Amino acid sequence: MTIFAAFLSNAVFSLIVGLACAAVLGPQEFGRFALGLAGATLAQGLAFDWLRLAAARFYSQEARARRPALRAGLDRGFLVAAAVVGLGALAGALAAPADLRGLIGAAGAMAILNGLNDYRAALARALFLDGVFLRLMLAKNAGALVCVIGAAMWTGRAESALAGAVVALAFALALARAALADP
């Protein structure tokens, strides 16, 4: 039931944040926001989805206790993928027109942190830490409600709204860090 509640809250909060951003940003900036979000989602799926699936498939309490190299390998894999996404976003931002640089940078940061969030959520699920998983999802969603909509209202810019998502993800990850740390 906890997993279902987390997925349901994710869907509801995503809808609320999306509708609020559309109302606040207006058509042009919301279109830029949607493009940045789509780019971040594509980069995250290409770079990090394997990691989420590997954590769910191969990580467990037994693996945590007996094969610490597995988690170290997964963590290294995340770092390599994050470096590739970060360098790709940097190259894209440098090659893009000036008005798109911030959007590309924010989308790259969002892809990396959302990839880390999904990886950590998969670890929590693999370890049957339903409470940690639920807290991670609720903190991300509540943070997005405040940070994404707040940034959109404050600046009226798509880049700021995406940066708000980055802040919300960082906040959620910081809350769950201790519970998912391996010795």
Side-chain angles (χ1 to χ4, degrees):
M1 187 67 176
T2 303
I3 303 299
F4 175 73
F7 284 119
L8 182 63
S9 81
N10 202 33
V12 170
F13 275 91
S14 293
L15 178 64
I16 292 168
V17 169
L19 290 174
C21 280
V24 170
L25 292 175
Q28 183 174 349
E29 282 299 311
F30 183 71
R32 294 180 73 220
F33 173 77
L35 286 174
L37 189 60
T41 302
L42 177 63
Q44 175 194 345
L46 291 173
F48 300 108
D49 207 39
W50 67 272
L51 185 62
R52 177 184 61 83
L53 295 171
R57 169 68 177 94
F58 298 111
Y59 202 65
S60 64
Q61 290 289 2
E62 179 184 345
R64 188 180 204 183
R66 295 187 184 177
R67 296 183 313 183
L70 175 65
R71 172 71 183 269
L74 291 171
D75 288 347
R76 252 188 317 263
F78 170 80
L79 292 175
V80 169
V84 169
V85 171
L87 290 173
L90 179 62
L94 292 174
D99 64 330
L100 292 178
R101 290 181 181 153
L103 188 69
I104 293 170
M110 184 177 173
I112 292 168
L113 282 181
N114 213 25
L116 181 59
N117 183 70
D118 280 358
Y119 169 47
R120 295 296 173 103
L123 290 174
R125 289 185 64 202
L127 296 171
F128 295 99
L129 300 173
D130 290 350
V132 173
F133 176 76
L134 184 62
R135 282 194 308 274
L136 187 62
M137 293 296 112
L138 291 176
K140 176 188 83 154
N141 292 329
L145 193 65
V146 172
C147 297
V148 174
I149 296 170
M153 289 176 71
W154 187 30
T155 66
R157 307 258 321 151
E159 297 90 336
S160 300
L162 288 174
V166 171
V167 170
L169 287 162
F171 169 72
L173 287 164
L175 289 180
R177 187 176 186 276
L180 294 172
D182 275 6

